[in-house]
Amino acid sequence: MSDEIRPEDAAEEPAPEKPAPVLADLPADPAEALPVLIEALAEARLAVDARTDDLQRIAAEFDNYRKRTARDRDEVVRLSSQRLVEALLPVLDSFDGALGHEASTPAEEAMLDGMQSTYQQLMDALGKEGLEVVPAVGEPFDPMVHEAVMGGGAGHLVVTAEMRRGYTLGGRVIRPAMVGVADADEEA
């Protein structure tokens, strides 16, 4: 068998476009040449319009592709940040528990001061990524950001205690605050 490509095996190529008339092909009489030139001009305009439409479509498709990849990249970054922050929530809870203790000796006070500094550095770094603490005690109860686990009432509820902090990341709740609530009229 031969490795040569035979004409019948080759893929069909599109038919070449009809070439525009050359000035040498024009009739000598200007009256006869005018319709030929007008037809050639109309064909050239159609070809240019078709190419322009193709280029505009390709440009629009590329713009959509660029926007879609930017959205996808932003979503991946957001989800990665959220996964990291959610993994650090138990660490933040441990800090909250440790910092809630009262120091009874100067050594404990120094240790708590160091822990407070480390905690603040961690919160500042996470804050730059969009982490915010959900306001709790004294705030009106909001079921979108608070999870009531004790208390209750029939009227306007207010948060009276916080058992676990809640957090938002980029404006989205990643963990509601675990709170106790009471009727606002009873608090007054």
Side-chain angles (χ1 to χ4, degrees), residues 150-158 160 180-188:
M150 106 180 163
H156 179 71
L157 299 177
V158 66
T160 57
V181 295
D183 197 352
D185 297 332
E186 293 175 14
E187 285 295 306

Side-chain angles (χ1 to χ4, degrees), residues 84-133:
L84 175 63
V85 169
E86 286 174 348
L88 289 173
L89 291 180
V91 175
L92 296 177
D93 292 340
S94 295
F95 268 113
D96 287 337
L99 294 173
H101 291 288
E102 291 291 324
S104 57
T105 65
E108 286 179 0
E109 190 172 314
M111 185 171 65
L112 283 175
D113 286 343
M115 287 179 64
Q116 178 64 40
S117 175
T118 303
Y119 174 74
Q120 193 57 50
Q121 286 177 338
L122 179 60
M123 289 301 293
D124 288 345
L126 292 173
K128 289 177 184 174
E129 294 299 315
L131 183 72
E132 294 180 6
V133 174

Side-chain angles (χ1 to χ4, degrees), residues 74-90 126 129-131 167-175:
D74 291 345
E75 182 69 10
V76 166
V77 168
R78 186 189 66 77
L79 290 175
S80 297
S81 294
Q82 183 174 337
R83 282 184 41 211
L84 175 63
V85 169
E86 286 174 348
L88 289 173
L89 291 180
L126 292 173
E129 294 299 315
L131 183 72
Y167 297 95
T168 61
L169 182 64
R172 295 178 62 188
V173 176
I174 58 172
R175 185 176 78 182

Side-chain angles (χ1 to χ4, degrees), residues 29-114:
D29 183 19
E32 292 176 9
L34 187 60
V36 173
L37 288 173
I38 291 174
E39 182 182 340
L41 180 61
E43 289 175 7
R45 283 187 178 164
L46 287 175
V48 166
D49 288 346
R51 296 279 192 249
T52 302
D53 289 346
D54 289 346
L55 290 174
Q56 287 174 341
R57 181 181 44 76
I58 290 169
E61 286 176 1
F62 180 73
D63 192 42
N64 291 338
Y65 167 77
R66 186 179 50 78
K67 289 176 184 176
R68 184 176 58 251
T69 56
R71 272 193 316 268
D72 291 348
R73 183 181 59 247
D74 291 345
E75 182 69 10
V76 166
V77 168
R78 186 189 66 77
L79 290 175
S80 297
S81 294
Q82 183 174 337
R83 282 184 41 211
L84 175 63
V85 169
E86 286 174 348
L88 289 173
L89 291 180
V91 175
L92 296 177
D93 292 340
S94 295
F95 268 113
D96 287 337
L99 294 173
H101 291 288
E102 291 291 324
S104 57
T105 65
E108 286 179 0
E109 190 172 314
M111 185 171 65
L112 283 175
D113 286 343

